[in-house]
Amino acid sequence: METELSRQLGIEHAIFGFTPFPAVAAAITRAGGFGVLGAVRYTAPDDLKRDLDWMQDHTDGRPYGLDVVMPAKKVEGVTEADIEAMIPEGHRRFVTDTLAKHGVPELAEGEASGWRITGWMEQVARSQLDVAFDYPVGLLANALGPPPADVVARAHDQGILVAALAGSAKHARRHAEAGIDVVVAQGYEAGGHTGEIASMVLTPEVVDAVAPLPVLAAGGIGSGEQIAAGLALGAQGVWLGSLWLTTTEASLGSRTLTAKLLAAGSGDTVRSRALTGKPARQLRTEWTDAWDDPAGPGTLPMPLQGLLVAEAVSRIQRHEVGPLLGTPVGQIVGRMNSERSVREVFDDLTRGFEQAVHRINRIAGRNGS
């Protein structure tokens, strides 16, 4: 499963695996793919340094990457406290009432909220990069389009490729103009923040829009046959995220959440603004239903919504409140019906890819060769 991009990065299979878990990222790299560690949850640089040290010790000298979240445009002089003060009191009451309705306990005294929107602020991302640039990172990806020009230049100076996610051909062209090396065409089916164009349509549009830049197909991909389809559409690899959530190396920290993922079908996700204020595909829960209910106050724009719900999400996760418990995940969740190791997932992907290629070869009269 080699392409020009995979050969450039020195990997066996053109499978790029995004994950917030170092053990999963390292296992993806060891299996012959390209593990990409999500950095958004590392608000303390020392924590990221610790996990990158661990990655160095567990990737056998093979390449891996880092995914950050930073806006291309900087907003000067705005602090988290300034943003928090903009949250309406009515929205705070709605959160309190929703949690009370489901009997969600408070966090223990002194226990800090785990997930905070601070990981989306530029100064935090820059502190992450100050750490990451001391490591042999092969690819820097940004989930909010191209990072600032000085970050792109700094990465290029160190021989690091820069990737950015795009949900439309228009966005992809802007990425190319900003000096991005790889465009991730993320379709509507994907977990997390997505646009409104499905992968089958989006991938070839982006390939044509940014040629000859390499494109990775993302969204709704969880089998070798789908990987073959992505490459047939012109992509030079695939970007997989949701598929790793139910691997044995993942650290969701909740058996309840794992069970929900394993039981979910492809129709059990929803694009909702409930988590961050921007449309993000996630498990449909009574929490997302409450925020999407026209009778409610509606969600706030990013980053206000993320700050508003941060403690609530931590309480729901900490106490494993099943009806409210969810996570960003794509429609491919319908195929995630057993816990397997990353290696087992890779074996299944490569086997399915080979079968798909042989099937197309037979159709083309090449006798499966």
Side-chain angles (χ1 to χ4, degrees):
M1 204 185 299
E2 289 187 351
T3 64
E4 183 178 344
L5 179 61
S6 70
R7 287 189 290 271
Q8 181 180 357
L9 288 168
I11 58 176
E12 182 180 358
H13 303 297
I15 298 174
F16 294 72
F18 164 78
T19 174
F21 307 119
V24 176
I28 291 168
T29 285
R30 291 197 307 272
F34 193 93
V36 181
L37 179 65
V40 69
R41 66 190 181 96
Y42 293 99
T43 54
D46 286 346
D47 291 341
L48 178 59
K49 183 179 187 304
R50 177 201 63 216
D51 282 356
L52 288 177
D53 284 339
W54 188 92
M55 290 278 292
Q56 281 292 104
D57 293 337
H58 292 83
T59 47
D60 300 335
R62 300 182 180 188
Y64 60 88
L66 190 75
D67 180 279
V68 297
V69 179
M70 62 190 311
K73 296 181 180 179
K74 184 175 182 178
V75 179
E76 298 282 358
V78 178
T79 66
E80 182 180 342
D82 295 331
I83 297 171
E84 189 126 27
M86 299 168 63
I87 297 173
E89 188 58 36
H91 281 75
R92 295 188 188 277
R93 283 197 303 270
F94 181 75
V95 170
T96 300
D97 292 346
T98 303
L99 295 177
K101 175 182 176 181
H102 291 271
V104 182
E106 299 278 352
L107 294 174
E109 186 176 351
E111 183 178 358
S113 170
W115 180 81
R116 296 289 286 175
I117 201 69
T118 48
W120 298 72
M121 300 179 75
E122 181 181 349
Q123 62 266 34
V124 176
R126 285 186 178 274
S127 70
Q128 294 165 351
L129 292 175
D130 287 340
V131 172
F133 283 135
D134 287 335
Y135 292 82
V137 173
L139 178 77
L140 173 65
N142 188 37
L144 292 180
D150 67 296
V151 172
V152 175
R154 186 177 176 189
H156 286 168
D157 286 345
Q158 297 192 207
I160 299 172
L161 297 182
V162 180
L165 276 64
S168 71
K170 179 175 69 174
H171 292 156
R173 280 190 287 267
R174 290 176 183 168
H175 297 357
E177 291 167 0
I180 296 302
D181 305 293
V182 181
V183 176
V184 181
Q186 180 166 280
Y188 172 83
E189 310 95 324
H193 295 117
T194 68
E196 298 183 350
I197 305 173
S199 299
M200 184 64 73
V201 174
L202 179 66
T203 302
E205 284 189 352
V206 171
V207 168
D208 290 343
V210 301
L213 288 184
V215 172
L216 300 178
I221 300 174
S223 72
E225 292 83 355
Q226 290 168 313
I227 293 174
L231 298 188
L233 293 172
Q236 287 199 31
V238 293
W239 178 275
L240 310 182
S242 299
L243 192 63
W244 316 110
L245 289 173
T246 52
T247 57
T248 54
E249 293 91 344
S251 304
L252 287 179
S254 169
R255 293 305 305 172
T256 302
L257 180 54
T258 298
K260 290 186 73 170
L261 288 169
L262 295 174
S266 56
D268 292 328
T269 69
V270 62
R271 281 176 80 240
S272 171
R273 298 177 183 267
L275 187 60
T276 68
K278 294 185 70 172
R281 187 170 297 284
Q282 54 202 282
L283 277 182
R284 182 174 182 175
T285 66
E286 292 188 29
W287 179 255
T288 61
D289 286 348
W291 282 105
D292 295 338
D293 189 338
T299 56
L300 297 170
M302 179 186 278
L304 299 181
Q305 182 71 14
L307 283 170
L308 170 65
V309 304
E311 182 177 330
V313 170
S314 293
R315 287 168 60 184
I316 292 166
Q317 293 173 343
R318 173 67 179 84
H319 298 290
E320 299 196 47
V321 183
L324 304 180
L325 187 61
T327 186
V329 68
Q331 291 180 332
I332 199 62
V333 70
R335 295 183 65 97
M336 296 158 50
N337 49 26
S338 66
E339 291 184 80
R340 299 177 294 167
S341 69
V342 169
R343 171 58 71 178
E344 288 175 309
V345 172
F346 251 84
D347 288 345
D348 184 58
L349 293 175
T350 54
R351 183 165 49 247
F353 176 81
E354 291 172 358
Q355 291 171 350
V357 170
H358 287 319
R359 186 160 53 245
I360 294 301
N361 279 333
R362 285 196 300 272
I363 294 171
R366 294 178 184 145
N367 299 318
S369 60

